[in-house]
Amino acid sequence: MLFESLLAGFQLFLTPLAIGLTFIGILIGLLVGAMPGLGPLMGIILLLPVAIGLPPVAAMGFLIAIFVGGSCGGSISAILLRIPGTPLAAATLFDGYPMAQKGRAADAIGIAISASAIGGLIGGVVLIVASPLLARFASGFAPPEYAMLAVTGLFAIAIISGGSLIKGLVSGCFGLLLATIGTDEFSTGYRFTFGSHHMLNGFHIVAVVVGLFAISEMVHQIVGDDLLKKPDIKVERPGFGSLLTTMRHWVNLLRSSGIGVFFGALPGAGGVISSFSAYAIAKAAAKPDERYGEGAEGGVVATESANNATVGGTLVPTLALGIPGDASSAMLLGALLILGFVPGPILFEQEPQFVGGIFLVYMASNVFLLIAGILATPFFVYVLRIPKFYLIPIILILCSIGTFALQASVFDLMVMFGFGLVGILFRAANYPLAPIVIGIILGPILENNLRRALLISREGYWIFLDRPVSATLVCVNVLLLTGALYFAFRNRKRLFSRQES
């Protein structure tokens, strides 16, 4: 079955459009990843309006390549400027920047790109093997299991997204509330439309996400004090010999990639946790003469291989269960829904050739990452020298054009700017934005399956405890919430004791 899917996927992937867009997506991903303040999520958001008008495999190849390239691109600015382009690369500067200070910037970038590509390929192998097995297991799921699985995804994202547990849950519930706007699928009644025909189908997910993330981020950058700053950086193009240097650390490479896949498969964990965990374990296992923190090659290998292996890991529950692991995979999930595909066991059963095409574009993305990353590094360095004063207006124009082009609707522009204001207010109050997106994506899944479960139940809510898998998920949700409340209470108690002392 798997082999047949891959063969069928070759027919969809081996087209000039799909291959070309995958390569272009890698270049765009590296670019947005290298520019501090953007990152893979922003790249996916900005170019989602372009992708949804393309053939499905080409569209997903384009967006997945941006995800893959963006997860690696942050290492370039981390190594050269000591400013990680994305939070994913925060651990890379521990050894990447000291290497650059010693005159080995090109080597550090080459190792980072090589480790990312290999880690991504390892994550891809796990994706190809594990996601069909997980989908087959989930094929026996009924509405109670899907409802509880959606709750698990919401809890996990809210708990691990950073900051206060309560704030994470509030953001997630706000996303759930947004998901209820529009026409009720069961009763065909109108909910929260306020008499506007524009809101009969709810808010377009792209307009909401562009406003929440892109507009609010640009405003955050504008109020900064480095709009006109022009970094003075020089670097030679890294060579493909960096691949051999990286392979000398094969034990570290395999171990860190495994860590990345593991944390990627956990909803809400993501690349930041995996990269720091991989670095800590690599440092603990290293010999004293490797001098981690002073420019050790193994430090860059550990963090970057874990980063990109996380991408493969996070796509496993996204494709097999329809549960996104982070905000970027949530946008990929949204793209699948817009293109007319329903993630989960149905996707693997009814569209095996499309699934095979996704597997192939992901593997090709990591191969292209190695080639494009090494050859195009001087271009990314040049872009890093451009002050934000000139880049921000271009990004704002692209946001507006892309959002308007979705449905040729001025209302979508109003939604974008309205949620831009919401994003600014949430940032100011330190509320995470990712749970809002997860809530919007998982809201319909939760509501529809919850109502279906109750319709077929003869004992009300007991149906969620009558079925073994559903009951297990209920226990997992209770443990997640109880554990998070316990740790939040303990941390607050420690904070108060410190203040009193």
Side-chain angles (χ1 to χ4, degrees), residues 72-159:
C72 171
S75 63
I76 297 175
S77 54
I79 291 168
L80 298 178
L81 302 175
R82 207 185 180 193
I83 302 173
T86 66
L88 300 172
T92 303
L93 60 82
F94 292 156
D95 284 288
Y97 184 72
M99 283 184 70
Q101 293 295 98
K102 295 178 180 179
R104 299 187 63 199
D107 291 338
I109 293 176
I111 292 172
I113 293 171
S114 300
S116 294
I118 296 172
L121 290 171
I122 294 173
V125 173
V126 176
L127 170 66
I128 293 172
V129 173
S131 55
L133 296 176
L134 184 58
R136 189 177 304 170
F137 168 73
S139 62
F141 282 13
E145 284 79 15
Y146 278 114
M148 288 301 100
L149 200 59
V151 172
T152 304
L154 286 167
F155 277 168
I157 291 291
I159 290 169

Side-chain angles (χ1 to χ4, degrees), residues 192-385:
F192 307 113
T193 59
F194 302 100
S196 172
H197 69 279
H198 293 293
M199 298 178 65
L200 295 181
N201 294 321
F203 296 128
H204 199 292
I205 180 65
V206 176
V208 173
V209 175
V210 169
L212 282 175
F213 287 92
I215 301 300
S216 64
E217 179 62 34
M218 291 306 101
V219 173
H220 176 73
Q221 296 291 337
I222 288 171
V223 299
D225 56 357
D226 58 347
L227 283 178
L228 294 174
K229 185 177 180 181
K230 184 177 180 180
D232 182 19
I233 48 179
K234 296 180 181 179
V235 66
E236 299 177 359
R237 181 177 64 82
F240 285 96
S242 302
L243 182 61
L244 297 176
T245 304
T246 304
M247 291 300 294
R248 286 203 293 266
H249 302 270
W250 63 273
V251 175
N252 185 3
L253 190 64
L254 292 175
R255 179 182 59 232
S256 300
S257 298
I259 293 170
V261 171
F262 172 75
F263 280 106
L266 296 178
V272 177
I273 297 176
S274 66
S275 61
F276 276 97
S277 300
Y279 183 82
I281 293 174
K283 184 177 181 180
K287 299 176 181 178
D289 59 352
E290 292 187 55
R291 298 183 179 274
Y292 270 63
E294 300 179 19
E297 295 175 351
V300 179
V301 170
T303 58
E304 288 303 310
S305 58
N307 275 354
N308 275 54
T310 300
V311 177
T314 197
L315 288 177
V316 173
T318 302
L319 293 176
L321 302 176
I323 303 298
D326 57 11
S328 296
S329 57
M331 288 309 303
L332 294 178
L333 178 60
L336 281 172
L337 295 173
I338 294 172
L339 290 169
F341 297 91
V342 179
I346 296 177
L347 181 66
F348 285 78
E349 293 174 2
Q350 299 182 356
E351 302 289 346
Q353 71 283 357
F354 176 69
V355 173
I358 290 181
F359 289 160
L360 292 172
V361 296
Y362 175 78
M363 299 298 282
S365 295
N366 287 281
V367 175
F368 291 159
L369 173 63
L370 178 63
I371 299 170
I374 290 179
L375 294 179
T377 293
F379 169 73
F380 301 129
V381 172
Y382 175 77
V383 173
L384 284 175
R385 295 172 182 163

